């Protein structure tokens, strides 16, 4: 099975800060990686697919990059509504999708 | 508007059964890959099961042999029948559509809580 190691597990930042989350796959997964946002009481939301493509309607401050085993998710200028937990997900080993452990983002 | 609404969660004793439903609107369930994903209290997301548009089904090892995913095309609804429930099955259960080629979960419900406890 493919393991996804996400870091950090939690992060505190100020409004306007640049925030970066990393995700490392246990083997080469090409660009087969998605990023999701989970806010309490809300439906999870797809932000980035195929490692770097933005889902329709996602603000431009969100971006993703990487391929192979190392991936990065960035929020260019943190906004209060970005408080959430973020997850990476690999889909290289379909149908055994695997998520990272999550990164809980808080406002400082 | 594309929407998914889960129902059927609740409190069940260990060894018991429960069936969750996921009603879809704005798209056709049978034309898409449909998934169940869960989040245990204080834990991360775990993929549980998928049903492909062609009807093939797959399960995580943790639920294989105990959970059955299905759909009712006439009701445009996805289901998961959960048997032999264990305490570790306690979680919020989400249904999610596999958009595009099925590889990105582009529409999710808000989830339904299943608690397995005596």
């Amino acid at each position: 099975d493919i393991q996804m190691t996400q870091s950090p597990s939690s992060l505190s930042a100020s409004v306007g800060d640049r925030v970066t989350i990393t995700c490392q796959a246990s083997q080469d997964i090409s660009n087969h990686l998605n990023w999701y946002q989970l806010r309490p009481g809300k439906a999870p939301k797809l932000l980035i697919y195929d490692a770097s493509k933005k889902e329709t309607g996602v603000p431009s401050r969100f971006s993703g990059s990487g391929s192979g085993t190392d991936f990065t998710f960035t929020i260019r200028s943190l906004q209060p509504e970005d408080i959430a937990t973020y997850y990476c997900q690999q889909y290289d080993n379909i149908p055994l999708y695997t998520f990272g452990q999550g990164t809980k983002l808080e406002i400082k | 508007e594309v929407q998914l609404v889960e129902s059927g969660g609740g409190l069940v004793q260990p060894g018991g059964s429960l069936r969750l439903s996921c009603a879809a609107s704005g798209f056709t369930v049978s034309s898409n890959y449909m998934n169940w994903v869960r989040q245990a209290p204080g834990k991360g997301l775990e993929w549980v099961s998928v049903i492909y548009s062609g009807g093939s089904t797959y399960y995580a090892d943790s639920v294989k042999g105990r959970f059955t995913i299905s759909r009712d095309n006439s009701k445009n609804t996805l289901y998961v029948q959960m048997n032999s429930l264990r305490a570790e099955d306690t979680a919020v259960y989400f249904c999610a559509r596999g958009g595009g080629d099925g590889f990105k979960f582009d529409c999710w419900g808000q989830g339904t809580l299943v608690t397995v406890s005596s």
Side-chain angles (χ1 to χ4, degrees), chain A residues 38-59:
Chain A
L38 266 76
R39 287 186 282 191
K42 296 208 165 190
K45 182 180 180 182
L46 171 68
L47 299 178
I48 304 290
Y49 65 98
D50 293 350
S52 62
K53 297 176 182 176
K54 232 187 298 282
E55 180 71 351
T56 303
V58 172

Side-chain angles (χ1 to χ4, degrees), chain A residues 9 14 25 30 39 63-65 71 77 79 81-82 85-86 108:
Chain A
S9 56
S14 300
S30 184
R39 287 186 282 191
S63 65
S65 65
F71 301 86
S77 177
Q79 299 302 304
E81 61 266 30
D82 299 337
T85 302
Y86 294 85
K108 198 181 289 184

